[in-house]
Each structure stands twice: as structure tokens, then as C-alpha cells.
Amino acid sequence: MRPKRWLEHKTISCFNMQTIENSSQQQGDLVLIHNVPMLKAIANNWAQVEAFQARPDDIIIATYPKAGTTWVSEIVDMVCNNGDVEKSCQAPIYYRVPYMEFFAPEESDIPGIKYLNSMASPRLIKTHLPVQLLPKSVWENNCKVIYVARNAKDVAVSFFHFYQSVQMLQDVGSWEEFLQKYIAGEVSYGSWYDHVKGWWEKRQEHRILYLFYEDMKEDPAREIRKVMRFLEKDLGEEVQEKIVRHTSFQAMKENPMTNYETISHEVLDQTVSPFMRKGITGDWKNHFTVAQSEVFDADYAQKMEGSELHFRTEI
Ligand code: A3P
């Protein structure tokens, strides 16, 4: 399944505005769905997303883009497979943990909702949706959710590089231009602030394990144990260590089943920026000027005021 005709499809039907429901305005390549900027390809598919049927034993992995989705997905898959590396290496991560709201042409190699609907249980499901846009069947079925949050500055940097390599995302210009859009929430999936706060609040009423990328960097074994407890898996020291090794940045960067090298360049051009780019905390210091950092921090303080959510921008 190679996405040979992806680009042709992109210009023909994928982005047909006429078919978009619930959307009112357009921002470049993005469409507002209930006030959240979303790729047109997702907006086109929105009715199916809303109608998605979750099952009680689904495990949902939710993140704002670039927060460590692939990393935690590999960890959860390994935990569910009792640390069986061979099993986890049988298919690319986007088959083992399909991206719920994503819509790709049939002939592309990225499965979405249709594939999920045909998948046997138990399913692992990835989503970047802000909490208020999750299909209601997820709450009705009381699915377990693992959310990963990463500090806003490193997400901005990672997202900027990702934007360059993804064909479906419009050119966002310079780093300064991207940063302005990111602060204003005018990027794919909208405001980082609303996303992390919305999911944080939801913990009070639903089974959500809320993890932080920085904690995972600091002590992956400790965070993997949290995942195991949440999923009621007792796998023992040796298996835990195996999972830590298998999901290290270097191992995942070299693993074709996790580094997205199986995706066509027409969709994700990793010559521009590798998906497994740096995998560190604090890379923002190499991108933000002092002035940008000051403006960002002042705005951050306002947007996060009153929230008990605290992020580390270095470890
Ligand atoms: P950088 O661009 O800062 O390197 P997502 O999967 O949500 O798109 O997140 C991608 C980010 O997570 C990238 O960040 C990537 O390098 C990082 N990442 C992926 N696997 C990782 C791992 N095993 N350890 C640390 N970071 C990882």
C-alpha cells in the first residue's frame, strides 16, 4: 500500500470544501471545526469522527501534536504485548496505533477510521483531538485514556520542524512567523494551552493517566511503571527494562516500525527534518531569541494563570 496517488488526490477530492460540515471559517490549509483549526482532510471526514464507535476495552492515546505521541504509543503497545519486541515490530506504529480522526485516501499507506472500525479488539487508538472534540462514545464506554503533555516551548520547536516536512501542512514561513501563529493557536489542532488544560480538567471525571514528556525523559522506567499500573499489567523488572531499551530515542530512531521511514516522501519528507529529530528537553533554547522567550513567557503566564499545571522546560 504505497500512497502513489496521494498528491493527485490531494488536489482533487480530499480538500473539497463543499463536503465539510460544521465548519464556518478557513485559516490557510486549516478549517475551523467547533472553533478548532483542523486540516481540511480531517474536516472533510468530521461526521465520521463524531460518529466513531469506541469500545469499552479501547485504549486511547491522546496528545497535542509533537508531545511524544509515537513514543508513548510504542510503550503502550509493548506493555500490551507483555514486552514482546517481535510482536511490536510486525507493523509500523500507525497500524498498531491508528490515528483516529485522520483521513487519508484509500490507496495511501496511513490507516484511519475505516481501518479502526475493522480492527479486532483490544484496540490502541491515537488522537490529537482537544478533549471537547472527542467522540462521545469514548466517554460513554469509559475507555482508558493516556494523555501526554510536553512543555509549550519544545512543542513549538518540534511542530515548526514537523510543519516543514509534512506535505499536507501549509508553509508557515519563518520560525518567527510560525511562533506567532502557535501563540495565537492558529496551527493544526489549535491552542496548546487549551489542549493541555482541557485534558487536565477532564481527569477529575474520567479515567485518564496524565503523563509529561519531561518526566518520561527523566525516568522512563518510572513512567512505564505508571502505564503498567494504569493498564493493570504486572510484567516484572526484566520486561520493564526491555521496554525502556526498546523505546529509547536511539532505538526508536533506528527502528523502521517507529521512525516513519515506511511513509512516502510525498507525505512526510524526512530529508527536510527527520521525524525522530532530537528527542530532548530544552531544544527551545537553540531556537528562541531572548526577546521571543520573554514575549512567550509573558503570554504564557496569562494563559496559564490559575492552572495548577506546571511544566518543566529543562531537566
Ligand atoms: P523533537 O522534534 O523535539 O525531536 P509526536 O510523536 O507526538 O509527533 O512527537 C514527536 C517528538 O517526540 C519529536 O520531538 C521526537 O523526536 C520525539 N520522540 C519520539 N520518540 C522519542 C523517544 N523514544 N524519546 C524521546 N523523544 C522521542
Side-chain angles (χ1 to χ4, degrees), residues 128-170:
H128 288 314
L129 291 175
V131 72
Q132 73 278 14
L133 294 192
L134 261 262
K136 62 178 187 312
S137 65
V138 169
W139 313 123
E140 287 165 357
N141 283 284
N142 196 24
C143 304
K144 285 187 179 174
V145 181
I146 299 178
Y147 185 83
V148 182
R150 184 183 191 185
N151 81 75
K153 283 176 161 174
D154 280 329
V155 166
V157 169
S158 183
F159 214 176
F160 173 65
H161 289 283
F162 188 63
Y163 251 85
Q164 326 287 317
S165 55
V166 175
Q167 295 295 320
M168 290 176 87
L169 292 166
Q170 219 176 36

Side-chain angles (χ1 to χ4, degrees), residues 65-71 150 158 213 217 247-249 252 275-279:
K66 313 320 291 173
T69 329
T70 315
W71 187 10
R150 184 183 191 185
S158 183
Y213 180 96
K217 283 299 296 181
T247 59
S248 72
F249 179 73
M252 285 185 60
F275 186 91
M276 296 291 168
R277 199 181 56 88
K278 284 198 182 170

Side-chain angles (χ1 to χ4, degrees), residues 98-115:
Y99 185 178
M100 181 178 65
E101 68 273 18
F102 195 65
F103 173 76
E106 295 253 323
E107 65 273 27
S108 87
D109 56 0
I110 308 172
I113 225 159
K114 204 169 165 192
Y115 182 77

Side-chain angles (χ1 to χ4, degrees), residues 53-206:
Q53 274 312 304
R55 305 174 193 156
D57 55 359
D58 286 339
I59 297 166
I60 314 287
I61 293 167
T63 57
Y64 186 83
K66 313 320 291 173
T69 329
T70 315
W71 187 10
V72 78
S73 296
E74 189 67 6
I75 289 172
V76 173
D77 188 48
M78 280 289 283
V79 168
C80 291
N81 285 334
N82 304 316
D84 185 338
V85 173
E86 253 177 53
K87 222 168 171 185
S88 284
C89 286
Q90 274 171 3
I93 190 69
Y94 47 88
Y95 271 98
R96 291 176 282 131
V97 188
Y99 185 178
M100 181 178 65
E101 68 273 18
F102 195 65
F103 173 76
E106 295 253 323
E107 65 273 27
S108 87
D109 56 0
I110 308 172
I113 225 159
K114 204 169 165 192
Y115 182 77
L116 267 172
N117 289 337
S118 67
M119 220 174 149
S121 291
R123 304 179 296 187
L124 305 182
I125 302 174
K126 157 182 163 177
T127 181
H128 288 314
L129 291 175
V131 72
Q132 73 278 14
L133 294 192
L134 261 262
K136 62 178 187 312
S137 65
V138 169
W139 313 123
E140 287 165 357
N141 283 284
N142 196 24
C143 304
K144 285 187 179 174
V145 181
I146 299 178
Y147 185 83
V148 182
R150 184 183 191 185
N151 81 75
K153 283 176 161 174
D154 280 329
V155 166
V157 169
S158 183
F159 214 176
F160 173 65
H161 289 283
F162 188 63
Y163 251 85
Q164 326 287 317
S165 55
V166 175
Q167 295 295 320
M168 290 176 87
L169 292 166
Q170 219 176 36
D171 180 13
V172 279
S174 65
W175 160 241
E176 169 65 26
E177 286 164 325
F178 176 80
L179 190 58
Q180 292 312 320
K181 287 198 170 92
Y182 176 78
I183 291 172
E186 291 168 5
V187 291
S188 179
Y189 289 100
S191 159
W192 173 92
Y193 308 88
D194 293 347
H195 208 284
V196 296
K197 286 193 288 188
W199 278 100
W200 181 253
E201 293 308 318
K202 191 75 179 175
R203 281 159 50 253
Q204 295 171 10
E205 55 181 77
H206 191 83

Side-chain angles (χ1 to χ4, degrees), residues 78-79 81-85 221 224-225 228 233-247:
M78 280 289 283
V79 168
N81 285 334
N82 304 316
D84 185 338
V85 173
I224 289 169
R225 279 195 295 278
M228 284 169 33
K233 285 276 196 179
D234 185 7
L235 301 177
E237 283 274 305
E238 216 175 289
V239 174
Q240 279 175 46
E241 279 164 24
K242 203 203 285 185
I243 298 175
V244 172
R245 281 197 305 278
H246 179 76
T247 59

